[in-house]
């Protein structure tokens, strides 16, 4: 007699995203100690004894969404700076960041982002922000799976860390979080304009020494491409590649402007492109050549970017734009099939972030990061193709329950690990100060 499982989801439409991408119409999934231990037809798992059975009839169960590029605590500045191109927009944003980015405020902004992301069905995110320990601690408290880690800038930022101290501070950070459950450390210089070639290479070495992922912005705007050409005589991708940055695991946010040579470099090195369609559109940066990246075999994953550039952290909108943009831009309705888009935010997303063995698929041996979606909605009825629904019709309000590592972080829309009311009230108080400060510098 096998020991009972902890949780049994019974009777769902299970979209596994496993190796053969099986679907179970009347399926069940069993979880023990945070791990998926059985997946199959309900009838085949009916013999399992379970401490708790969740009636999932009329619902869709799928892997939790992976948001591959976010700046969580920028949630504090949502809609503060609008209608500017990236470079002046960043300069303006950084004035407010310098005034309000403290450890405690970053933790508060992270909690707000976590509430939003969990409600959306996101179970893993890659976050780049000042005071990465504040984001990490907020994620641990919320039971959320987060990739984050030391950031690099050549100037002293709100964290007060001098350029020459970033390596030692970063190494201590990586040590501290090396064995923290749910936190996956990575190294993340902002980009190759704000960080010197030496700084980029130091960050790469740090990532290699710790055996962690390297994450940076790359080829976001045509201005950045021009500056890179002027300063280094090569494209952003060519610059990173020539510096040896792409020799180890790397994920590059944006990749909007790419040359033929860039495509072959990405293909050769295996670096993944993080597509942030909303942010690229809103800042007028362009449309990333996702269809061609896929055609060339470059892994494409999806992020929302921060809530100042794309205003919310809604992965369903990001998925929908990722699915639609290529078709419109190329006048080709066969590009980016819905199932490819679902892969970008589940199985492929997890693999590109180095988590392919632990999450991204509903299959035995993976950690139980899963979401339950209500299907009894007018905009989801009827359903002949679940992948098309997930990309073109499902929205964040359809997400009913969210499990991370076998633990419910949202259950029937209640959040057991976060005090949403307090978070919203605290952010409201801080926003009054941010508004007053912005008024003094004549921008609000
Ligand atoms: Zn970004």
């Amino acid at each position: 007699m096998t020991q009972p499982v902890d949780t049994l989801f019974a009777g769902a439409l299970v979209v596994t995203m496993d190796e053969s991408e099986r679907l179970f119409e009347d399926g069940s999934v069993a979880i023990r100690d945070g791990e998926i231990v059985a997946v199959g037809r309900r009838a085949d798992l009916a013999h399992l004894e379970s401490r708790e059975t969740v009636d999932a009839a009329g619902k869709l169960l799928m892997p939790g969404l992976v948001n591959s590029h976010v700046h969580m605590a920028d949630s504090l500045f949502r809609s503060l700076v609008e209608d500017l191109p990236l470079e002046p927009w960043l300069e303006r944003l950084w004035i407010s960041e310098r005034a309000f980015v403290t450890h405690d405020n970053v933790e508060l902004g992270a909690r707000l982002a976590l509430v939003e992301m969990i409600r959306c069905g996101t179970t893993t995110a890659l976050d780049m922000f000042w005071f990465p320990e504040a984001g990490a601690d907020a994620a641990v408290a919320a039971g959320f799976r987060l990739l984050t880690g030391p950031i690099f800038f050549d100037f002293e930022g709100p964290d007060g860390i001098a350029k020459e101290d970033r390596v030692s501070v970063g190494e201590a950070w990586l040590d501290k979080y090396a064995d923290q459950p749910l936190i996956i450390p990575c190294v993340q210089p902002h980009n190759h304009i704000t960080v010197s070639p030496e700084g980029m290479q130091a960050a790469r070495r740090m990532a290699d020494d710790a055996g962690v992922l390297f994450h940076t912005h790359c080829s976001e705007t045509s201005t950045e491409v021009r500056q890179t050409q002027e300063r280094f005589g090569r494209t952003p991708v060519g610059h990173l590649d020539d510096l040896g940055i792409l020799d180890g695991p790397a994920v590059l946010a944006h990749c909007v402007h790419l040359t033929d040579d860039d495509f072959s470099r990405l293909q050769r090195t295996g670096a993944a492109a993080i597509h942030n369609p909303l942010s690229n559109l809103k800042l007028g940066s362009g449309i990333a050549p996702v269809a061609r990246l896929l055609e060339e075999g470059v892994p494409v994953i999806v992020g929302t970017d921060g809530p100042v550039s794309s205003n919310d952290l809604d992965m369903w909108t990001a998925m929908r734009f990722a699915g639609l943009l290529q078709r419109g831009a190329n006048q080709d309705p066969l590009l980016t099939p819905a199932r490819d888009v679902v892969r970008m935010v589940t199985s492929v997303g997890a693999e590109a972030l180095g988590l392919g063995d632990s999450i991204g698929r509903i299959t035995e041996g993976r950690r139980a990061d899963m979401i339950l979606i209500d299907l009894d909605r007018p905009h989801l009825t009827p359903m002949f193709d679940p992948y098309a629904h997930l990309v073109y019709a499902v929205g964040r309000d359809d997400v009913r329950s969210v499990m991370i590592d076998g633990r419910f972080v949202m259950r029937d829309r209640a959040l057991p690990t976060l005090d949403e009311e307090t978070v919203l009230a605290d952010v409201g108080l801080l926003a009054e100060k941010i508004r007053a400060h912005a008024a003094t510098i004549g921008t609000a």
Side-chain angles (χ1 to χ4, degrees):
M1 182 72 191
T2 53
Q3 61 179 121
V5 300
D6 297 326
T7 311
L8 183 72
F9 289 94
L13 166 63
V14 182
V15 178
T16 64
M17 300 312 291
D18 67 6
E19 295 291 343
S20 36
E21 298 184 339
R22 291 177 301 169
L23 294 175
F24 295 99
E25 295 245 354
D26 183 19
S28 289
V29 177
I31 293 127
R32 185 190 296 124
D33 297 329
E35 184 181 303
I36 298 166
V37 293
V39 184
R41 295 186 306 152
R42 174 156 56 170
D44 295 338
L45 270 61
H47 65 286
L48 289 176
E49 197 187 321
S50 177
R51 292 195 172 86
E52 183 187 25
T53 298
V54 177
D55 177 9
K59 297 176 178 54
L60 184 150
L61 185 67
M62 69 177 290
L65 307 180
V66 177
N67 185 342
S68 293
H69 186 68
V70 63
H71 308 284
M72 290 199 297
D74 264 339
S75 58
L76 298 173
F77 306 105
R78 202 189 308 259
S79 80
L80 179 68
V81 189
E82 294 292 330
D83 303 331
L84 285 175
L86 175 77
E87 290 77 13
W89 174 88
L90 264 182
E91 278 173 32
R92 170 59 196 89
L93 174 66
W94 284 346
I95 296 174
S96 289
E97 283 196 356
R98 270 192 286 275
F100 291 98
V101 168
T102 61
H103 177 282
D104 289 357
N105 286 346
V106 169
E107 193 160 343
L108 175 61
R111 287 211 298 275
L112 176 62
L114 289 164
V115 168
E116 184 184 355
M117 289 198 288
I118 289 171
R119 287 206 169 283
C120 165
T122 298
T123 53
T124 296
L126 170 50
D127 180 51
M128 179 195 286
F129 209 74
W130 305 104
F131 301 101
E133 59 281 7
D137 294 346
V140 169
F144 187 86
R145 198 180 299 281
L146 191 73
L147 291 96
T148 189
I151 57 169
F152 279 67
F153 271 94
D154 277 354
F155 54 85
E156 188 181 298
D159 55 5
I161 301 171
K163 178 183 165 186
E164 54 275 16
D165 295 332
R166 291 221 172 259
V167 168
S168 58
V169 171
E171 283 170 351
W173 198 102
L174 294 175
D175 275 352
K176 182 179 172 197
Y177 286 94
D179 300 314
Q180 177 74 262
L182 296 181
I183 300 301
I184 303 98
C186 61
V187 175
Q188 27 192 12
H190 174 253
N191 76 10
H192 58 278
I193 301 288
T194 52
V195 181
S196 67
E198 301 70 37
M200 295 298 280
Q201 286 173 319
R204 176 76 260 177
R205 276 195 301 278
M206 189 195 284
D208 290 342
D209 291 348
V212 301
L213 186 70
F214 183 100
H215 170 218
T216 193
H217 294 98
C218 179
S219 226
E220 181 172 1
T221 65
S222 49
T223 305
E224 175 204 321
V225 173
R226 197 189 63 242
Q227 286 173 343
T228 310
Q229 284 288 359
E230 285 166 7
R231 204 174 293 184
F232 305 111
R234 44 200 180 197
T235 65
V237 171
H239 181 56
L240 295 185
D241 189 23
D242 287 350
L243 290 177
I245 301 300
L246 307 184
D247 292 348
V251 290
L252 307 177
H254 303 301
C255 293
V256 174
H257 303 278
L258 301 176
T259 63
D260 287 347
D261 180 55
D262 291 338
F263 281 105
S264 43
R265 287 174 187 260
L266 291 173
Q267 190 190 46
R268 177 175 51 76
T269 57
I274 310 168
H275 182 37
N276 301 281
L278 276 294
S279 167
N280 296 156
L281 286 174
K282 181 159 173 277
L283 293 174
S285 303
I287 296 175
V290 166
R292 175 148 179 217
L293 285 164
L294 292 172
E295 195 184 298
E296 307 257 356
V298 176
V300 177
I301 56 184
V302 175
T304 56
D305 210 348
V308 279
S309 60
S310 69
N311 295 51
D312 71 13
L313 304 175
D314 183 359
M315 282 296 286
W316 302 100
T317 315
M319 287 162 69
R320 202 177 289 191
F321 273 81
L324 294 173
L325 266 177
Q326 301 300 309
R327 297 174 176 217
N330 297 291
Q331 298 183 49
D332 183 349
L334 302 183
L335 297 176
T336 53
R339 197 189 295 204
D340 280 3
V341 177
V342 177
R343 286 179 191 138
M344 292 176 195
V345 299
T346 56
S347 51
V348 171
E351 278 158 26
L353 299 182
L355 303 175
D357 292 337
S358 56
I359 59 163
R361 303 175 191 270
I362 297 184
T363 189
E364 289 87 347
R366 297 293 205 286
R367 302 306 294 171
D369 286 15
M370 300 185 297
I371 61 177
L372 204 53
I373 296 166
D374 284 332
L375 293 176
D376 55 348
R377 297 289 175 98
H379 59 282
L380 302 179
T381 306
M383 180 172 66
F384 300 111
D385 180 340
Y387 300 106
H389 264 41
L390 291 172
V391 176
Y392 304 125
V394 169
R396 55 182 161 185
D397 293 340
D398 303 321
V399 179
R400 167 172 288 277
S401 297
V402 178
M403 174 176 271
I404 299 176
D405 219 41
R407 175 189 187 194
F408 279 106
V409 293
M410 182 163 85
R411 177 119 199 211
D412 296 328
R413 300 197 169 79
L415 304 177
T417 64
L418 281 154
D419 181 351
E420 182 173 9
E421 211 174 305
T422 304
V423 170
L424 295 184
D426 289 351
V427 172
L429 291 175
L430 181 60
E432 286 174 24
K433 295 180 191 163
I434 294 173
R435 183 178 288 117
H437 174 265
T440 65
I441 54 172
T443 53

